[in-house]
């Protein structure tokens, strides 16, 4: 027979059932503490055994108990009608040592430590630009991690490898993911999981998962739970982050190192290039000055030689004038020819020196549309020395520029061209 009943009536009825049932009063409950919290002066526990758990409360007492301890509680089962919940209210408790879960966890931890899995794990490289996040794609953990990384280092690539992060089979699934990622080229593996109870985080105490983390060739960051939570996964990872957000800070810091080093290299390269150009300029000016001085000296010597020849001719002309006017005229003509020839020779030499001076002036070459090419701090004189995607530095008469090689074309001795690609 179907009967209609209000929520208040049903709650009151259930409370009466619990209050009247003598088997639920003055009961000793034995189990393992899986969670503990305090509110005002009260203690709230979750006592568990295997897959079963019971919420317990001790009013007006702050009990000094820890997770994993085995307790014996004396009290009664109560139904709270206002919340529709059942809890075990106890008045006395006795500690019975470590629970089975703590004992098993300690044994596995000792086994992993003896195998050396807590030592010599791959550490993070100096630079990080690519990571694989092993996590639930719908959880808050991956959102926190991505937000922090993209805020500070948006160029970092984040790949999400979706897995279960709690419940039956979660540990095995995460272990398989880590093994599969070993064939992927990435800088780090980040295991992400937000906070939760010990039961929620139990998958990360799985021996198989801890072993997979310890044996990973790729550095692993364990970002599981809150900062106070420790799992076997944390001990076996090369880097532990208290939260997914802290893991994001770690990745961002390593990414920022790359940006800083690139900027420093550019500054050093610019300073070295500027110093080299300054040195080359001074050397060129010294050469030009020496050539000009040499040319001026040779012209002066030629002029003195001509003047000396003219004086000697004048004296000879005067001495022989009276003897032979014809010889004087002939000698004067020959002297003029000789003087002209010598002047032409000296002028030609001066012009040749001036041409050499102009030809070796690098500023003239650069101003005519050419540029000095360097790659990796070395002068480039041949197209065959370059490869596609090489970064090169171009020096012009009024400044410099940086470029990336998109293609390389070289020519043979016959003038034929051949496109080369790397």
């Amino acid at each position: 027979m179907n009967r209609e009943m209000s929520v208040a009536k049903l709650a009151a009825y259930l409370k009466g059932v619990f209050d009247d049932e003598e088997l639920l009063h003055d009961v000793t409950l034995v189990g393992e503490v899986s969670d503990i919290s305090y509110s005002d002066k009260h203690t709230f526990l979750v006592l568990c055994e295997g897959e079963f758990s019971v919420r317990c409360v001790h009013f007006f007492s702050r009990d000094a108990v820890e997770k994993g301890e085995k307790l014996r509680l004396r009290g009664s089962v109560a139904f709270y009608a206002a919340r529709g919940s059942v809890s075990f209210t106890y008045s006395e408790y006795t500690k019975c040592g470590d629970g089975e879960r703590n004992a098993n966890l300690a044994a596995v931890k000792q086994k992993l430590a003896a195998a050396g899995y807590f030592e010599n794990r791959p550490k993070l490289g100096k630079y990080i630009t690519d990571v694989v996040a092993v996590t639930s794609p719908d959880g808050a953990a991956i959102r926190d991690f991505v937000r922090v990384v993209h805020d500070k280092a948006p160029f970092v690539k984040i790949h999400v490898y979706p897995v279960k992060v709690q419940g039956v089979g979660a540990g095995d699934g995460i272990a398989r993911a880590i093994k599969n990622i070993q064939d992927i080229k990435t800088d780090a593996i980040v295991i992400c999981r937000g906070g939760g109870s010990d039961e929620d985080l139990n998958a990360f105490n799985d021996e198989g998962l801890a072993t997979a983390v310890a044996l990973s060739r790729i550095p692993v960051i364990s970002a599981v739970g809150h900062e106070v939570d420790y799992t076997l996964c944390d001990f076996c990872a090369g880097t532990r982050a208290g939260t997914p957000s802290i893991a994001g800070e770690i990745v961002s810091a390593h990414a920022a190192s790359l940006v800083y080093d690139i900027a420093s290299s550019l500054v050093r390269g610019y300073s070295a290039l500027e110093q080299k150009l300054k040195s080359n300029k001074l050397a060129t000016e010294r050469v030009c000055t020496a050539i000009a001085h040499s040319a001026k000296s040779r012209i002066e010597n030629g002029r003195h030689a001509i003047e000396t020849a003219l004086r000697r001719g004048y004296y000879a002309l005067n001495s022989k004038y009276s003897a032979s006017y014809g010889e004087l005229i002939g000698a004067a003509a020959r002297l003029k020819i000789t003087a002209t020839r010598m002047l032409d020779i000296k002028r030609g030499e001066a012009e040749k020196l001036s041409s050499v001076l102009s030809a070796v002036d690098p500023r003239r070459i650069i101003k005519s549309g050419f540029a000095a090419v360097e790659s990796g701090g070395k002068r480039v004189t041949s197209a065959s020395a370059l490869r596609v995607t090489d970064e090169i530095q171009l020096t012009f008469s009024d400044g410099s520029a940086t470029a990336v090689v998109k293609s390389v074309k070289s020519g043979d001795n016959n003038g034929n061209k051949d496109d080369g690609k790397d």
Side-chain angles (χ1 to χ4, degrees), residues 43-97:
T43 300
F44 298 91
L45 301 176
V46 176
L47 219 60
C48 66
E49 180 181 3
E51 298 179 357
F52 304 98
S53 63
V54 176
R55 296 186 179 276
C56 309
V57 59
H58 192 182
F59 292 113
F60 306 107
S61 177
R62 293 180 65 87
D63 300 336
V65 298
E66 298 179 358
K67 291 182 181 180
E69 285 187 319
K70 188 174 183 180
L71 299 181
R72 186 185 302 272
L73 308 180
R74 184 176 180 180
S76 302
V77 180
F79 178 81
Y80 292 91
R83 295 195 304 269
S85 62
V86 177
S87 64
F88 186 81
T89 303
Y90 67 96
S91 57
E92 300 177 5
Y93 73 92
T94 305
K95 294 184 179 182
C96 306

Side-chain angles (χ1 to χ4, degrees), residues 227-242:
E227 293 189 62
V228 296
D229 298 319
Y230 274 86
T231 64
L232 294 180
C233 186
D234 294 325
F235 290 107
C236 290
T239 303
R240 177 186 181 265

Side-chain angles (χ1 to χ4, degrees), residues 261-276:
D261 287 350
I262 290 175
S264 299
S265 297
L266 290 175
V267 171
R268 290 195 299 270
Y270 177 79
S271 298
L273 179 61
E274 187 177 36
Q275 184 63 33
K276 191 171 184 179

Side-chain angles (χ1 to χ4, degrees), residues 122-198:
K123 300 298 181 182
L124 294 175
K126 185 177 182 181
Y127 307 130
I128 293 181
T129 59
D130 187 287
V131 298
V132 178
V134 180
T135 184
S136 169
D138 302 321
I142 185 61
R143 291 196 294 271
D144 291 343
F145 175 73
V146 171
R147 175 181 53 79
V148 173
V149 174
H150 282 184
D151 283 350
K152 298 188 176 182
F155 58 88
V156 175
K157 294 181 179 179
I158 301 175
H159 313 277
V160 177
Y161 196 116
V163 294
K164 286 177 56 179
V165 292
Q166 72 180 68
V168 178
D172 292 337
I174 299 172
R176 283 194 303 271
I178 293 174
K179 294 175 183 177
N180 292 337
I181 295 171
Q182 300 306 305
D183 297 327
I184 299 175
K185 186 177 181 181
T186 187
D187 298 321
I189 298 172
V190 182
I191 302 176
C192 285
R193 206 296 184 189
S197 65
D198 283 1

